[in-house]
């Protein structure tokens, strides 16, 4: 499923303006400023209390969050999108993030503690922090005139896999489901993946299954049902690039089944 969420901003105090903002450059190691470290730790503490998996830090989402935090601090206001600014999903994509869903919390306050408390006391913002399907986050906090402007960008990460890696992953699922011989025909299989119907190559498959997925941990139910018939003994797997330019990431796969 491809979707994204945006929530209304929670303004915690009045805005100030006039002095330069202060920013921490994005770090490959994780949150940079004390406020970012606090919000990251606080989010994972809340998740741990409820038996949820912790967030992993995502540098690309950090870059997206920092770009938006700069906009908020420079305007001394909070919003999820300003005139002329890209929407959240496009900001994430342009920053290099790969995700099947994305959401955002924004706030302004004098301390990170007040920001975290406000988010946890707001249903929509708390839902973002405690979403069990979200696994990565990037947090940026900028200071201006004694005020903190905070942005948390959440996502469900889609792994960055080569075509070979995608095909290997799906092949492993196929052979785990039923005894099959995997055929090595990457060019024909990948060309078949790019087609709307039919297949490429000289050998005709008995069944062709095209599907998209945000992860390669399970096969589509229709494909499992075909495998369960026991009629198929050979298979080829092809991966290809998604056909559209929308910001959400997913895998594009074809499975060719032979008797």
């Amino acid at each position: 499923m491809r979707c994204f969420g945006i929530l209304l901003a929670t303004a915690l105090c009045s805005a100030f303006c006039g002095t330069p903002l202060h920013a921490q450059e994005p770090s490959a190691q994780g949150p940079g400023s004390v406020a970012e470290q606090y919000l990251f730790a606080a989010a994972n503490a809340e998740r741990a209390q409820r038996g949820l998996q912790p967030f992993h830090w995502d540098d690309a989402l950090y870059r997206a969050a920092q770009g938006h935090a700069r906009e908020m601090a420079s305007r001394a206001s909070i919003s999820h999108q300003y005139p002329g600014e890209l929407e959240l999903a496009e900001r994430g994509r342009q920053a290099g993030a790969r995700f099947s869903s994305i959401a955002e919390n924004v706030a302004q306050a004098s301390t990170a503690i007040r920001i975290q408390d406000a988010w946890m006391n707001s249903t929509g913002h708390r839902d973002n922090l405690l979403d069990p399907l979200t696994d990565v986050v990037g947090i940026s906090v900028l200071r201006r005139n004694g005020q903190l402007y905070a942005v948390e960008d959440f996502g469900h990460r889609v792994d960055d896999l080569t075509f070979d890696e995608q095909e290997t992953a799906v092949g492993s699922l196929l052979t785990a489901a039923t005894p099959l011989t995997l055929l090595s025909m990457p060019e024909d299989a990948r060309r078949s993946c790019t087609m709307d119907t039919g297949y490429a190559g000289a050998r005709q498959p008995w069944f062709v299954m095209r599907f998209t997925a945000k992860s390669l941990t399970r096969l589509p139910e229709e494909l499992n049902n075909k495998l369960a018939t026991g009629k198929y003994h050979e298979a080829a797997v092809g991966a290809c690039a998604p056909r559209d330019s929308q910001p959400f990431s997913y895998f594009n796969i074809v499975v060719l089944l032979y008797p």
Side-chain angles (χ1 to χ4, degrees), residues 109-248:
S110 57
T111 69
I113 294 174
R114 290 185 178 181
I115 289 172
Q116 178 67 13
D117 287 346
W119 281 338
M120 288 303 296
N121 284 288
S122 167
T123 300
H125 298 79
R126 184 175 63 249
D127 288 347
N128 279 347
L129 283 158
L130 302 179
D131 185 348
L133 300 180
T134 299
D135 56 5
V136 291
V137 68
I139 304 169
S140 179
V141 182
L142 304 184
R143 181 180 294 277
R144 183 178 186 184
N145 279 353
Q147 291 291 293
L148 299 180
Y149 297 85
V151 179
E152 287 184 327
D153 284 348
F154 309 90
H156 185 277
R157 178 170 53 196
V158 174
D159 292 332
D160 189 7
L161 304 178
T162 66
F163 289 162
D164 284 340
E165 290 169 334
Q166 294 174 44
E167 291 158 3
T168 297
V170 175
S172 296
L173 294 175
L174 291 170
T175 55
T178 190
L180 277 175
T181 298
L182 294 177
L183 303 176
S184 179
M185 44 189 297
E187 291 187 8
D188 287 345
R190 290 176 186 177
R191 284 175 54 209
S192 298
C193 181
T194 66
M195 300 165 61
D196 291 327
T197 60
Y199 63 94
R203 186 178 179 188
Q204 180 177 357
W206 276 17
F207 180 74
V208 179
M209 178 76 187
R210 292 178 174 84
F211 65 94
T212 61
K214 63 183 180 182
S215 68
L216 299 179
T217 57
R218 61 197 306 183
L219 296 174
E221 192 61 29
E222 182 182 358
L223 183 53
N224 277 321
N225 291 338
K226 289 292 183 180
L227 295 172
T229 65
K231 296 191 301 182
Y232 307 101
H233 301 93
E234 295 181 320
V237 181
C240 58
R243 302 183 186 185
D244 55 42
S245 59
Q246 54 93 11
F248 300 93

Side-chain angles (χ1 to χ4, degrees), residues 61 88-89 92-93 97-102 155-158 247-249:
L61 288 178
L88 172 59
R93 183 185 67 83
R98 290 177 53 83
F99 50 85
S100 60
S101 65
I102 189 169
H156 185 277
R157 178 170 53 196
V158 174
F248 300 93
S249 298

